[in-house]
Amino acid sequence: RALVDLFRELKQNGFSTAKWATPGELKEMEQVFLLPTPKLPVKGLEISTATCVDRAEQYYMKCLTEIHALRSETLILGSKHMTKRDMEFMVNLGYSGMLMLTQQRCLLSTLFSENQQLIKHARAISEAENGLPPNQSELQQGVKSFETRCDLAFESMRQLSLLVKSAIPIMNQAAASGWARDVVSRLESLSSNDSSEGEKKSAFVNFARIRRMEKDRNRLEVAKEHITRIREECKTISCLPIDSFDLCLSDIASALNSNVPNEELNEKSDKKSVDTAYKIFSDRLSMTIERILVTYQNLIKEVIG
């Protein structure tokens, strides 16, 4: 009696006992894992909200595990207290609830993705209002190429430092060991890349990003001189292969040969009326968003009325 009442209450709250009410892909784990997943941690949210999202994701995984375990148990073991029809109803109700949870999870994933895009576009509008260098398309290509090669050069220096550090225990001479420790210290100080990730993820190439590139270029010049000197010292001591230094120098040279924008020209062009076009674009976009919001509110009122 209580079980029948429970089934009735669940059906009144939107759950279904029909097998066809849930897609067959929901019963296959490999298909469930292909669904979009909320990316955690979610940036732009409060700590309490992000914690709730994390707990909700854990709850969803537990429910997914339980419903598949329940389905396996009913198929293999059965029950002494429930009929086969009641067990089928119970499993179908469980999958109906999982369908609702999955729909909400996919909706949250879409909302988080759109929220990140909205934050990105808002940041781009804010940057445009402050004035930007012209020829953004060409600057984006040059900046992206330099930053990629620069990251590779710094990573190559870190790998070289790791190689020298791992070779210290097998060096027989005390002088060579001392030289290797000094090299590791110098390489670690040279390879510490403190470039701001926020500047790299910027939608546009601003002047701060160009200045950061100039600093990285100067650091690579200094690193090239130090590594060339270290290579000659290693060639004299004959304790490590020279090819590892040549590879690092090649990556640094590749980064230095990238076309870095000239900051002085861009600063002069900033005095022109370049930011006027961005200001007009920002105003028109704000008006469009305002009209969309007003139209949406009117539609909601009509639907409610």
Side-chain angles (χ1 to χ4, degrees):
R1 177 76 179 179
L3 184 62
V4 174
D5 293 341
L6 176 61
F7 287 167
R8 186 184 300 111
E9 288 293 331
L10 291 175
K11 290 179 66 176
Q12 291 178 357
N13 284 274
F15 291 80
S16 176
T17 58
K19 185 180 295 185
W20 51 265
T22 56
E25 290 80 3
L26 191 62
K27 300 178 182 179
E28 301 177 5
M29 293 293 289
E30 61 271 14
Q31 296 295 329
V32 174
F33 289 145
L34 294 177
L35 295 174
T37 304
K39 297 180 179 179
L40 301 175
V42 182
K43 295 182 179 180
L45 295 181
E46 297 179 356
I47 299 178
S48 58
T49 306
T51 303
C52 291
V53 173
D54 190 15
R55 292 178 179 176
E57 182 68 12
Q58 295 177 6
Y59 176 76
Y60 176 80
M61 292 300 175
K62 291 179 181 178
C63 292
L64 190 63
T65 304
E66 290 293 336
I67 189 62
H68 280 277
L70 177 63
R71 178 167 174 258
S72 301
E73 291 176 2
T74 54
L75 290 175
I76 298 174
L77 302 177
S79 176
K80 296 180 179 180
H81 309 285
M82 297 177 62
T83 63
K84 184 177 180 181
R85 182 172 178 270
D86 291 338
M87 286 190 296
E88 289 181 356
F89 278 176
M90 181 177 62
V91 174
N92 293 336
L93 285 170
Y95 275 107
S96 179
M98 280 304 305
L99 178 62
M100 296 180 184
L101 287 177
T102 303
Q103 290 173 341
Q104 294 176 1
R105 181 171 177 263
C106 294
L107 177 61
L108 283 175
S109 177
T110 303
L111 289 176
F112 290 152
S113 177
E114 292 179 353
N115 182 55
Q116 294 300 315
Q117 292 294 328
L118 182 60
I119 294 175
K120 180 180 179 181
H121 294 325
R123 188 184 299 114
I125 294 174
S126 177
E127 293 176 0
E129 290 179 350
N130 297 329
L132 294 170
N135 304 323
Q136 284 290 314
S137 299
E138 298 178 359
L139 286 177
Q140 284 281 5
Q141 295 178 0
V143 167
K144 185 177 180 180
S145 175
F146 174 80
E147 289 177 347
T148 302
R149 297 181 182 183
C150 183
D151 291 339
L152 179 61
F154 283 119
E155 180 62 27
S156 181
M157 282 187 277
R158 284 188 285 268
Q159 294 297 325
L160 180 60
S161 174
L162 182 62
L163 174 64
V164 177
K165 188 175 182 179
S166 61
I168 293 177
I170 61 176
M171 292 183 179
N172 297 325
Q173 300 178 1
S177 300
W179 170 84
R181 293 188 182 91
D182 181 63
V183 168
V184 170
S185 177
R186 283 188 285 175
L187 289 176
E188 288 179 351
S189 62
L190 292 172
S191 60
S192 58
N193 191 0
D194 58 347
S195 297
S196 175
E197 293 295 331
E199 294 175 0
K200 290 186 178 181
K201 293 182 180 179
S202 174
F204 298 108
V205 179
N206 49 30
F207 297 109
R209 192 171 176 182
I210 295 176
R211 287 191 291 270
R212 169 58 61 183
M213 291 174 55
E214 290 294 335
K215 291 181 180 179
D216 289 339
R217 186 181 180 86
N218 294 333
R219 292 179 60 213
L220 289 176
E221 291 282 0
V222 174
K224 182 180 179 181
E225 296 178 0
H226 280 275
I227 295 176
T228 302
R229 191 180 305 112
I230 293 172
R231 179 184 181 277
E232 296 300 324
E233 295 173 357
C234 180
K235 190 175 181 180
T236 303
I237 301 176
S238 300
C239 57
L240 288 173
I242 304 298
D243 296 342
S244 55
F245 294 93
D246 294 337
L247 180 61
C248 184
L249 290 173
S250 176
D251 292 336
I252 295 176
S254 177
L256 292 175
N257 292 332
S258 301
N259 294 325
V260 181
N262 191 335
E263 181 184 356
E264 295 181 357
L265 295 178
N266 291 328
E267 290 286 359
K268 291 180 180 179
S269 62
D270 182 45
K271 299 179 181 180
K272 300 180 181 179
S273 59
V274 178
D275 56 342
T276 305
Y278 293 108
K279 186 66 169 59
I280 296 174
F281 169 76
S282 177
D283 294 339
R284 290 180 179 177
L285 183 60
S286 300
M287 292 175 59
T288 304
I289 295 175
E290 183 178 358
R291 292 176 182 176
I292 292 174
L293 293 176
V294 172
T295 305
Y296 178 74
Q297 292 177 353
N298 294 333
L299 288 175
I300 293 297
K301 291 180 180 179
E302 293 179 1
V303 171
I304 296 176

